[in-house]
Amino acid sequence: MMKHRTRAAIALALAGTVLGGGRAAGQQAVMDTAATNALGRMGQYLAQLTEMQVNATITKEDVLPDGQKVQTSGTADLVAVRPNRLRVAIDGDRQQRLLLYDGTTFTVWAPKLRYYASAPAPPSIIQLADTLEDRFNIELPLVDLFRWGTPNAPLSEIRGARDIGPSAVGGVTCEHYAFRQNGLDWEVWIQKGEHPLPRKLVLNTLNDPARPQYTATYTWNLAPSYGRDSFTFVAPPDARAIPFSQMRPAYALGQQ
């Protein structure tokens, strides 16, 4: 199974600067500047968005102990207001969760099980993501959308880049790009025009013989509707509070 730290490396690699060419550990690397420049533009555009709503349709493969691959799917609907408001509704084959962050408190609500966990939170979405991973082994769904464009990204992770050509995702005209780094091949479809949004992402893990795949398709709304209470949790009368240590360590659907 692909671990969240592997996926985080991709997020960091997608920086808002133009990447240079080169050779990858003694072998010839294809480094297409059209692909790396497009990646830079996408990162810069995402980094300047102050409000967004993203609905992600996600399919991922897990590898069973005997090597057989199984597929799970679902959706993650995110509303974010930078720097410190976030709401994510996860609806997957294995779980349903609502994640709320109001700038001071982070809460995970399990509506079917009727329990929730809350904890004090740092003052930004990125700091929240780092804290959840470091302290609780919980990955914030769709966190890559906030890390793309990070200036301190390890650009050396990317060892190959190709412009595959024009394509369409959900009727939106895109350009399809493919990238390679150690242990991982991945692809991104970027919307053409003035709004270079990622519309689709595919990850293939190479250091597992089964090569499990992760796919996410994104639908965007850059003028979302929300109220003042959209990011604050109010516990229903029948809800039960539990400590974060009892939460499942990772979101099977929301990882990316």
Side-chain angles (χ1 to χ4, degrees):
M1 177 166 51
M2 291 185 295
K3 301 296 184 182
H4 73 278
R5 293 293 183 186
T6 301
R7 285 189 290 272
I10 304 167
L12 293 174
L14 303 183
T17 57
V18 177
L19 309 181
R23 294 177 182 268
Q27 64 183 358
Q28 184 67 37
V30 175
M31 192 67 73
D32 187 338
T33 56
T36 55
N37 289 346
L39 201 59
R41 286 192 299 272
M42 184 191 75
Q44 292 167 2
Y45 182 76
L46 289 174
Q48 58 87 34
L49 293 178
T50 57
E51 299 181 349
M52 68 177 80
Q53 180 176 13
V54 187
N55 183 273
T57 300
I58 298 169
T59 301
K60 67 186 292 285
E61 294 178 336
D62 290 328
V63 183
L64 301 180
D66 64 358
Q68 182 177 2
K69 289 195 295 186
V70 295
Q71 190 178 89
T72 57
S73 62
T75 61
D77 190 75
L78 174 149
V79 178
V81 182
R82 279 191 171 102
N84 58 2
R85 298 290 188 275
L86 184 71
R87 179 186 181 95
V88 187
I90 300 171
D91 187 4
D93 292 336
R94 297 178 181 174
Q95 60 178 270
Q96 292 75 44
R97 296 288 187 270
L98 178 64
L99 283 58
L100 295 169
Y101 166 58
D102 62 4
T104 59
T105 303
F106 176 72
T107 300
V108 180
W109 164 239
K112 289 189 175 181
L113 301 175
R114 312 303 291 174
Y115 66 72
Y116 68 95
S118 295
S124 74
I125 295 171
I126 286 297
Q127 289 174 298
L128 173 66
D130 293 340
T131 299
L132 292 175
E133 291 182 11
D134 294 340
R135 292 186 56 192
F136 303 109
N137 193 30
I138 292 177
E139 182 175 345
L140 198 62
L142 307 182
V143 67
D144 289 358
L145 300 178
F146 302 96
R147 287 182 171 153
W148 282 339
T150 301
N152 296 323
L155 306 183
S156 60
E157 294 283 345
I158 297 178
R159 300 185 178 275
R162 298 174 185 268
D163 183 348
I164 304 301
S167 183
V169 178
V172 176
T173 303
C174 300
E175 192 76 7
H176 178 193
Y177 302 97
F179 299 89
R180 171 160 283 186
Q181 62 191 73
N182 286 340
L184 194 70
D185 284 349
W186 52 279
E187 304 163 70
V188 63
W189 285 252
I190 300 177
Q191 180 174 326
K192 289 188 174 183
E194 298 179 358
H195 308 287
L197 296 164
R199 287 288 180 170
K200 184 178 178 180
L201 180 70
V202 174
L203 314 179
N204 287 283
T205 299
L206 305 181
N207 53 16
D208 186 323
R211 296 200 172 190
Q213 187 176 90
Y214 172 99
T215 301
T217 303
Y218 305 113
T219 301
W220 290 82
N221 175 10
L222 301 184
S225 298
Y226 54 88
R228 294 182 61 184
D229 59 349
S230 297
F231 309 101
T232 301
F233 180 70
V234 178
D238 62 341
R240 179 170 62 95
I242 64 171
F244 260 102
S245 59
Q246 296 182 22
M247 296 294 296
R248 291 183 58 179
Y251 302 117
L253 168 64
Q255 296 174 344
Q256 175 196 297

